Amino acid sequence: MEKESGLSVLIGGKAGFGIDKSGVIIARILSELGYRIYIYRDYPSIIRGGHTFSIIRASRDKVATHQDRVDFLLALDQDTFNLHKDKLKKECFFIYDPEEVKIEGVSACGTAIETGRILKEEGAPEIMRNTCIIGAFCRSAGIGFKILEDILRRELPKEIDLNLKVAHRGFEEAKELLKVEVTGLQKLPLLSGNQAVALGLIRGGLNTYIAYPMTPASPILHFLADIAGDFNLKVIHPESEVGVMLMATGFSYMGEKVAVGTSGGGFCLMAEGLSFAGMAELPVVIVLGQRPGPSTGLPTYSSQTELHFALNAGQGDFLRFVVAPGDPQEAYYWSSVALNISWKYQIPSIILTDKNLGEGIFNFDISSVETIKDESLPLWNKSAPYKRYLNTENGVSPLAFAPEKGAVIKANSYEHDESGITTEDPVITRAMQDKRLRKEEYLSKDMKGYETVKVYGDESSRTALLCWGSNKGVCVEAAQRLGLKVIQPLVFSPFPSDKFAKALTGVKRLISVEDNATGQLAKLIRNYGFKAEDKILKYDGRPFTPDGLEEELRRLMR
């Protein structure tokens, strides 16, 4: 195996037949050997049928994107072979069931494993075709059966003996094509971006998570529900996104650190509740998993189309903290920070993710995560009378939670005075609006202590790629190949203009790389006096790959 390219495996079949789980098993096998992993998942918005596949990339170096070409193709149906055979680096490195896949018209090579016959002989269910072909893959890649057995025992506790029999049959009927060596690198756990967000929220003190399922944020709801008992969490699934947001503001009012999760369509329904949180100064964290729109769009694919929506959603002027992590380490860190910032400043926070980050699976290295600052809450000192919206120097009022003795605690969506009493007085109205907006000055000062803009690649290069969110990985890899600089803003509200300007030092040409049709980040930076001379935009729901981006960049820089 070459260090630069590593190993890529594509497994595909019909939706509902365990392709996703199979991809995870293959990833865990390769991770056990010390490789760094990324899994890209592609599936239609139907429960059963249709074509679904996963690409598992393994490398000796950190990876955060998949490649166009693959070393192995594991075809559980005809569509997988027909659609992906041209991705193979070597034409014979495919494994298939000859009863399901016909290979007329191509070289009569590859490894035929009669999974149907093996299942029938072992009395195994159809779903175990996956186990059989994974066994064949391990033999083909020179991976010992013991490693496969250990992973299967962890991942498939039900009917494990039968699964092992079927896997061993596939293993025995295959032949070794290459030898994947143990790297000697430290083994790291595998996490999805969504799981990293969830764990970061817990690290930040999360008490309650509320969500209505919506791809690609739904896995956060499921993951937190599974571990709720371990962390004393309340995990709630209301009837709609309207209910989600209003319920969250109620928990916030009672002093519960609360977060919600959704995608663009659900965030539309949350906008009025978001404004209420802005006016009532109720801290709430929103995880916004982006996918292509408008409207339902492509429900199971990815985009970066909600940047301006997140910055401007809701009526009226109010401060919100907006951050877009680019990998699981950043997702963990900034999710925790977002919860702390929400409570320190009593504002909404929005964490922008997307399917490529949220549902992608990566190695997670906790040792590379920055130290997280624990912020203290501005609690009421119990000197009467309590004023929920006391007009302070930094705009942050003291907190008290019902049923606090001696305090009348109001939460008002109308304009109000310091005690929370509704008012239409123009002088008070202006004073309270200034109070709420004054927080931005102090939050901006706080952010100077955070790494809100990151720089990668050749820092002396006069050409830089501008990226955000999940495009970090592919931009860094393409930049390394071409000797370019990469600039990645992480925080978008308040925008770190000074740090962004510093990152641009020496740059003569800035190329914005985004998963949207209009160059939303390129538009945003113009508001602060910066300009991206060129844009490379992808808006078909699929992510950039290093080869594809490199080709686009070479064409642009001729």
Side-chain angles (χ1 to χ4, degrees), residues 360-376:
I361 296 177
F362 314 70
N363 288 110
F364 182 75
D365 185 2
I366 190 68
S367 68
S368 69
V369 176
E370 300 170 57
T371 302
I372 297 169
K373 303 174 186 177
D374 291 314
E375 304 283 359
S376 57

Side-chain angles (χ1 to χ4, degrees), residues 52-69:
T52 182
F53 67 93
S54 291
I55 298 177
I56 305 94
R57 183 181 177 193
S59 174
R60 293 176 184 270
D61 304 308
K62 180 181 176 181
V63 288
T65 181
H66 72 284
Q67 293 179 308
D68 291 322
R69 307 295 299 280

Side-chain angles (χ1 to χ4, degrees), residues 265-382:
F267 189 58
C268 291
L269 299 176
M270 293 181 175
E272 186 176 6
L274 178 69
S275 288
F276 172 52
M279 172 61 88
E281 301 183 52
L282 293 167
V284 177
V285 173
I286 301 104
V287 183
L288 176 51
Q290 300 165 98
R291 70 190 203 191
S295 192
T296 308
L298 303 178
T300 59
Y301 289 91
S302 194
S303 72
Q304 294 181 315
T305 50
E306 267 72 86
L307 178 56
H308 289 278
F309 189 19
L311 291 168
N312 299 289
Q315 69 272 32
D317 298 318
F318 61 96
L319 176 63
R320 79 284 308 271
F321 179 68
V322 179
V323 63
D327 61 30
Q329 284 76 216
E330 291 173 356
Y332 176 85
Y333 175 80
W334 284 104
S335 296
S336 181
V337 170
L339 196 55
N340 277 310
I341 291 296
S342 271
W343 280 87
K344 182 175 182 178
Y345 287 95
Q346 298 164 42
I347 58 173
S349 286
I350 300 171
I351 303 166
L352 283 166
T353 68
D354 57 42
K355 181 212 168 172
N356 297 328
L357 173 61
E359 294 191 352
I361 296 177
F362 314 70
N363 288 110
F364 182 75
D365 185 2
I366 190 68
S367 68
S368 69
V369 176
E370 300 170 57
T371 302
I372 297 169
K373 303 174 186 177
D374 291 314
E375 304 283 359
S376 57
L377 296 183
L379 296 174
W380 179 44
N381 63 9
K382 305 202 177 188

Side-chain angles (χ1 to χ4, degrees), residues 402-428:
E404 178 71 53
K405 185 177 180 181
V408 177
I409 305 163
K410 291 187 175 291
N412 200 337
S413 68
Y414 284 82
E415 190 53 271
H416 45 261
D417 64 13
E418 290 181 293
S419 297
I421 306 298
T422 297
T423 184
E424 295 180 354
D425 181 280
V427 175
I428 298 175

Side-chain angles (χ1 to χ4, degrees), residues 434-477:
D434 287 344
K435 167 209 178 308
R436 290 188 293 271
L437 294 179
R438 196 157 58 244
K439 298 175 185 180
E440 182 169 5
E441 175 188 347
Y442 290 86
L443 175 54
S444 295
K445 289 178 181 177
D446 254 6
M447 285 295 107
K448 292 184 184 299
Y450 290 84
E451 194 175 6
T452 53
V453 179
K454 289 186 176 181
V455 176
Y456 300 92
D458 182 356
E459 295 192 25
S460 66
S461 174
R462 290 179 173 269
T463 300
L465 306 183
L466 173 64
C467 66
W468 61 286
S470 64
N471 275 337
K472 169 189 174 178
V474 70
C475 283
V476 169
E477 188 165 338

Side-chain angles (χ1 to χ4, degrees), residues 13-122:
K14 293 181 176 64
F17 281 84
I19 301 302
D20 181 42
K21 184 66 174 179
S22 300
V24 171
I25 290 171
I26 293 169
R28 292 201 184 282
I29 291 166
L30 295 169
S31 182
E32 190 70 16
L33 298 174
Y35 287 93
R36 302 301 178 242
I37 303 295
Y38 175 73
I39 305 178
Y40 169 68
R41 299 175 56 214
D42 191 298
Y43 57 94
S45 57
I46 53 179
I47 296 172
R48 294 183 73 85
H51 177 59
T52 182
F53 67 93
S54 291
I55 298 177
I56 305 94
R57 183 181 177 193
S59 174
R60 293 176 184 270
D61 304 308
K62 180 181 176 181
V63 288
T65 181
H66 72 284
Q67 293 179 308
D68 291 322
R69 307 295 299 280
V70 299
D71 297 276
F72 280 99
L73 175 62
L74 313 185
L76 286 160
D77 66 356
Q78 190 70 47
D79 281 347
T80 301
F81 183 76
N82 292 345
L83 291 170
H84 302 293
K85 64 179 184 291
D86 292 338
K87 292 184 172 73
L88 276 169
K89 295 176 184 176
K90 296 181 180 179
E91 65 175 3
C92 291
F93 280 36
F94 62 91
I95 304 172
Y96 69 104
D97 183 342
E99 295 178 7
E100 298 289 329
V101 178
K102 306 305 176 188
I103 61 170
E104 289 88 352
V106 299
S107 300
C109 58
T111 300
I113 303 295
E114 296 179 1
T115 59
R117 172 181 59 80
I118 291 171
L119 297 187
K120 186 175 180 180
E121 290 174 0
E122 298 295 342

